[in-house]
Amino acid sequence: MSAPSPAPRTVSVVCPTFQEGASIATFLERIRSAHPRFGPVRLAELIFVDDGSTDGTLTTLRDAERTWTSPRVVLIVRDRKAGTVSAQVLGIQRSTSPIVVTMDADGQHPADTIARLAEAWEPGIDLVVASRYVPGGSVDWEFAHRAVISAGARAISRIALPGARRLTDPLSGFFLVRKELVADPPMKEPGYKVLLYVLARHPRARLREIPYEMGTRIAGESKLVRGLGFVPSFLKELARYRRLARSQTASVPSAADSR
Ligand SMILES: Nc1nc2c(ncn2[C@@H]2O[C@H](COP(=O)(O)OP(=O)(O)OP(=O)(O)O)[C@@H](O)[C@H]2O)c(=O)[nH]1
Ligand SMILES: [Mg+2]
């Protein structure tokens, strides 16, 4: 007897963008060519939250918004650079599917992994995280010092936030989340990592990790980490998330609570 085929599921994808003019067309093309291989996973829409890029990103995205039908492309433009956390949360809130994948638009997150995240999800699971650090996962750092900074940030996150200890890759920017978990607007201050926010907001979330091979940027420059200048605000972010995690009560609306 053959194995039952996986249940069909629909997922939305959310991408924050800022000055990705050199990468965005290739990124879109990669999604378009991977989509037919998604099997039972249907992409409802690709939602881009852009903070006023001036390098052609918006022209490419507006064109896709006009012409793409399956998946649809939805573009939200904010009037100032306000960081990836609030951009991702806004995109998730606007999605039409109950499960949403958030990923970067610079090509580091492979398009095929969207379907693998959705296949690893099942009712009762709150978060499926694509990890560089489980067997089968990998990361090809462009510069050696980034590996050291990333390892340090990961270690500090795990010390500060109990939720981060539950994952091998708590700083991953590539994961699937039940939309319901991101119902509330995030704290006002811009942050670096939406996954830390979700883990702090929902300490009892039901988690899964799958491996992925993180690639290099298609083009352009990283907007986030330049040297160690980010350290003070990252530590403040962790302190805020630690307080948030502590303030959460047993009434967290995770799937674990709703059964
Ligand atoms: N809307 C919005 N998007 C942003 C902002 N900063 C970065 N992004 C986008 O967020 C994603 C991640 O940014 P990156 O600069 O690649 O940061 P990173 O992946 O953590 O760092 P690298 O590993 O160096 O690439 C990309 O799709 C960026 O275009 C921002 O302030 N607002
Ligand atoms: Mg990147």
Side-chain angles (χ1 to χ4, degrees):
M1 210 168 62
S2 60
S5 40
R9 55 199 50 177
T10 300
V11 67
S12 300
V13 171
V14 167
C15 304
T17 57
F18 185 70
Q19 306 293 62
E20 294 293 356
S23 304
I24 197 72
T26 306
F27 173 79
L28 285 167
E29 214 31 67
R30 286 182 184 176
I31 300 264
R32 198 204 289 271
S33 62
H35 195 203
R37 298 192 294 273
F38 276 16
V41 175
R42 197 180 78 80
L43 262 191
E45 68 226 337
L46 279 173
I47 301 176
F48 292 91
V49 182
D50 189 278
D51 283 356
S53 296
T54 53
D55 66 346
T57 307
L58 287 176
T59 311
T60 305
L61 290 176
R62 285 200 178 104
D63 189 50
E65 189 176 39
R66 230 182 17 256
T67 55
W68 284 40
T69 49
S70 177
R72 313 184 290 128
V73 169
V74 176
L75 174 61
I76 301 167
V77 183
R78 304 193 295 183
D79 59 8
R80 68 186 176 90
K81 184 162 167 25
T84 53
V85 174
S86 61
Q88 285 163 298
V89 171
L90 178 63
I92 292 168
Q93 287 167 333
R94 295 281 179 89
S95 68
T96 61
S97 312
I99 53 172
V100 186
V101 168
T102 180
M103 68 192 292
D104 295 352
D106 58 7
Q108 290 182 289
H109 297 158
D112 285 315
T113 307
I114 299 168
R116 292 182 39 243
L117 283 166
E119 278 166 11
W121 179 83
E122 63 189 353
I125 297 293
D126 294 312
L127 266 174
V128 185
V129 177
S131 169
R132 296 162 281 190
Y133 305 111
V134 288
S138 67
V139 47
D140 181 11
W141 294 109
E142 216 173 327
F143 304 104
H145 73 276
R146 288 295 309 272
V148 177
I149 292 173
S150 177
R154 197 153 47 108
I156 295 167
S157 306
R158 294 171 127 190
I159 291 166
L161 205 60
R165 285 172 225 151
R166 303 174 61 206
L167 290 170
T168 62
D169 199 352
L171 302 180
S172 177
F174 196 11
F175 59 89
L176 176 149
V177 63
R178 272 196 321 120
K179 177 180 171 178
E180 205 185 317
L181 265 72
V182 192
D184 298 328
M187 288 160 286
K188 294 274 181 286
E189 303 88 339
Y192 289 100
K193 291 292 170 185
V194 73
L195 183 54
L196 291 181
Y197 164 72
V198 175
L199 289 169
R201 179 77 183 73
H202 302 287
R204 287 157 29 99
R206 301 263 304 231
L207 314 170
R208 261 188 193 160
E209 283 188 305
I210 62 161
Y212 87 104
E213 296 183 9
M214 181 164 145
T216 51
R217 279 189 149 268
I218 296 164
E221 284 189 344
S222 162
K223 317 294 178 306
L224 294 185
V225 179
R226 293 216 145 225
L228 293 173
F230 78 107
V231 170
S233 45
F234 182 60
L235 293 178
K236 270 194 217 154
E237 173 177 359
L238 282 176
R240 284 201 311 275
Y241 289 163
R242 189 180 165 89
R243 285 195 295 277
L244 175 65
R246 284 193 170 153
S247 71
Q248 295 308 300
T249 63
S251 61
V252 175
S254 68
D257 297 318
S258 60
R259 90 206 36 233

